[in-house]
Amino acid sequence: MNKLKLHHQIIIAMIVGSLTGFLFKGETDSLVYNIIISMGIIFIRLLKMIIVPLIFSSIVVGVSSIASGRALGRIGLKTVAYYFLTSLLAILIGLSLTNLIAPGVGTTLASSNAFDPSSLSKPGSIGEILIRMIPLNPVHAASTGDMLGIIFFSILLGVSMTRLEDGSNSFVRKFFESFFKVMMKMTEMIIKLAPLGVLGLITKVVATTGLAIFISVGKYVVTIALGLSIHILFVLPFIFYVFTGKNPILHFRAMAPAMATAFSTSSSNATLPMTIKCVEKNAGVSNKVSSFVLPLGATINMDGTALYECAGVLFIAQVLGVDLTMYQQLVIVVTALLASIGAAGIPSAGLVMIFIVTQAVGFKDQEVALIVGTMLAVDRPLDMFRTVVNIFSDSVGTSLIAKSEGESLYDDMD
Ligand code: ASP
């Protein structure tokens, strides 16, 4: 039977979802609409359900299979270097474009969008975020979805397992390996539902997001969308080509289902199962590399979010009529990077983290609140786009690192 490939099914679902979304605009009470959007809700719940056990088992197995401390240090270093570098490049793109286009200059915002900033949960300071990486109780970290805490504990557990006398033969290692395999099977089963889930999610976005708001902050949306496009269409493919010698189109094709999932869920975490599957099955990266690099990336490597933090704060400064000094712009670059590391891989996390950056340059929460209210109204489509950039960068990093570890990629891409 000539079955449609998953990414084709997903693309069709996106088109159909956009049409049904238009059809149901203003009719969100109808039964059919609610049945359609519940498919999206069920899909997201299924993805969220597997995230914690998947991240946990994936990192434990990943770290423990990079047997020597040396190799772990080497891969870890490359991972962090790549994440740091690409996020910084993204920020510089955001910085240049926002200074060039100046979307906030002359922008007037409707006061009806004012909202109380205390309604957003406060992100806490950067130092706090780093200390909070160490969970008081790993079980609590898992039950509350504290990703950094889970990652920290899983890495330590993996490292400790390599120190056991019977090493790779130990019972505990075999147990986690089998557990991880089971989680991957469960992931595969859930991913088969992606087209239905995407259909429900896109229908909801199109049916509920009005277009009018885009006009008042149109330039802002365009600036960020342009920056994200430059990063994903030129910068990342260029890096990919230089380090792997392969055609970046291959990689876009390999990652299409994951990108579509990121677009419709706005969550790097929820997309992680799909990202792992695409990187391993389509790009041919070994599980050893992907199971360590990807979960880490979904949590700390967010190029799209980093670009957005920087451009967003400059936009706020322009609307407020504040002229930023070079030093303040530097503070924004550094805090935008930290904020993107601290942002969780969930919808709108980046918007909340913007307060970290505005506080660092000394803007008052109250002044910022009005503008963030409007930014919130257009955040969903931007969030969809920056999540795609976030996971694409993770996948490029994984391929680069796999290649540098002597793996051959794309040999048997279907
Ligand atoms: N939604 C993004 C993600 O999951 C984070 C953000 O809001 O920028 O990657």
Side-chain angles (χ1 to χ4, degrees):
M1 199 174 82
N2 200 3
K3 220 173 146 250
L4 267 183
K5 288 225 176 90
L6 184 66
H7 60 270
H8 291 142
Q9 291 180 25
I10 293 178
I11 291 169
I12 294 172
M14 287 170 108
I15 298 169
V16 176
S18 314
L19 295 176
T20 36
F22 266 116
L23 226 72
F24 285 106
K25 225 176 178 110
E27 314 229 349
T28 47
D29 286 336
S30 86
L31 179 68
V32 180
Y33 171 80
N34 281 293
I35 292 177
I36 295 177
I37 67 160
S38 36
M39 297 192 305
I41 297 170
I42 291 171
F43 179 58
I44 292 224
R45 285 189 78 102
L46 285 168
L47 284 172
K48 284 191 173 160
M49 175 186 80
I50 50 171
I51 291 167
V52 170
L54 184 67
I55 288 197
F56 174 65
S57 55
S58 161
I59 295 190
V60 172
V61 171
V63 170
S64 65
S65 64
I66 309 174
S68 76
R70 264 245 217 86
L72 179 64
R74 194 180 62 230
I75 295 183
L77 211 68
K78 283 186 211 166
T79 307
V80 172
Y82 169 86
Y83 287 167
F84 177 79
L85 197 85
T86 50
S87 298
L88 198 65
L89 283 175
I91 291 176
L92 294 179
I93 294 174
L95 185 79
S96 323
L97 280 183
T98 322
N99 276 319
L100 209 74
I101 302 177
V105 176
T107 302
T108 44
L109 300 173
S111 57
S112 60
N113 287 313
F115 84 120
D116 177 13
S118 56
S119 64
L120 291 174
S121 59
K122 278 266 154 27
S125 75
I126 291 296
E128 235 174 78
I129 290 172
L130 289 178
I131 292 179
R132 273 212 321 256
M133 270 189 69
I134 307 172
L136 281 178
N137 174 350
V139 179
H140 182 256
S143 71
T144 50
D146 164 14
M147 292 306 158
L148 284 178
I150 298 171
I151 289 177
F152 187 85
F153 180 75
S154 319
I155 292 180
L156 268 190
L157 184 64
V159 170
S160 313
M161 272 160 53
T162 64
R163 303 279 155 97
L164 289 178
E165 254 159 42
D166 41 2
S168 60
N169 277 323
S170 66
F171 165 74
V172 70
R173 167 100 200 277
K174 287 192 177 132
F175 168 79
F176 277 117
E177 258 172 18
S178 307
F179 181 67
F180 178 53
K181 277 195 196 133
V182 174
M183 288 318 299
M184 287 302 285
K185 272 274 166 283
M186 199 186 279
T187 303
E188 260 171 46
M189 282 155 53
I190 293 172
I191 280 173
K192 292 218 176 87
L193 301 174
L196 290 178
V198 167
L199 171 70
L201 292 167
I202 298 282
T203 301
K204 184 169 178 204
V205 174
V206 175
T208 53
T209 312
L211 288 178
I213 186 76
F214 286 96
I215 297 163
S216 67
V217 280
K219 262 200 205 160
Y220 157 78
V221 174
V222 167
T223 308
I224 293 185
L226 186 66
L228 293 173
S229 307
I230 293 176
H231 195 64
I232 198 170
L233 294 179
F234 299 101
V235 179
L236 292 175
F238 179 72
I239 297 177
F240 177 84
Y241 176 71
V242 169
F243 285 91
T244 65
K246 300 273 182 192
N247 187 342
I249 306 239
L250 272 181
H251 194 65
F252 277 107
R253 269 191 24 219
M255 296 311 297
M259 288 161 79
T261 309
F263 187 76
S264 46
T265 60
S266 281
S267 166
S268 302
N269 282 349
T271 310
L272 182 64
M274 186 69 112
T275 319
I276 296 182
K277 182 184 169 259
C278 290
V279 165
E280 288 182 10
K281 292 259 159 65
N282 300 349
V285 172
S286 74
N287 180 257
K288 181 178 122 184
V289 170
S290 78
S291 61
F292 173 67
V293 180
L294 283 177
L296 206 62
T299 308
I300 66 168
N301 180 46
M302 297 197 179
D303 293 8
T305 306
L307 187 152
Y308 166 80
E309 299 296 330
C310 177
V313 173
L314 291 182
F315 170 73
I316 292 173
Q318 289 168 356
V319 175
L320 292 174
V322 179
D323 246 340
L324 293 167
T325 60
M326 277 303 276
Y327 172 72
Q328 278 175 314
Q329 300 220 10
L330 187 70
V331 171
I332 290 178
V333 168
V334 175
T335 40
L337 181 68
L338 295 173
S340 75
I341 294 173
I346 54 172
S348 283
L351 187 77
V352 181
M353 293 305 278
I354 232 163
F355 282 99
I356 279 205
V357 189
T358 53
Q359 277 162 7
V361 276
F363 294 168
K364 298 236 162 52
D365 277 358
Q366 286 307 330
E367 292 175 335
V368 173
L370 168 70
I371 306 164
V372 172
T374 307
M375 288 160 74
L376 188 66
V378 289
D379 194 50
R380 184 67 191 195
L382 288 178
D383 195 8
M384 293 159 93
F385 196 1
R386 61 182 189 253
T387 310
V388 171
V389 176
N390 291 347
I391 69 106
F392 189 73
S393 171
D394 296 342
S395 73
V396 168
T398 315
S399 308
L400 253 61
I401 292 162
K403 176 86 186 170
S404 76
E405 290 291 310
E407 293 181 16
S408 57
L409 310 172
Y410 302 99
D411 284 346
D412 45 19
M413 208 189 132
D414 60 316

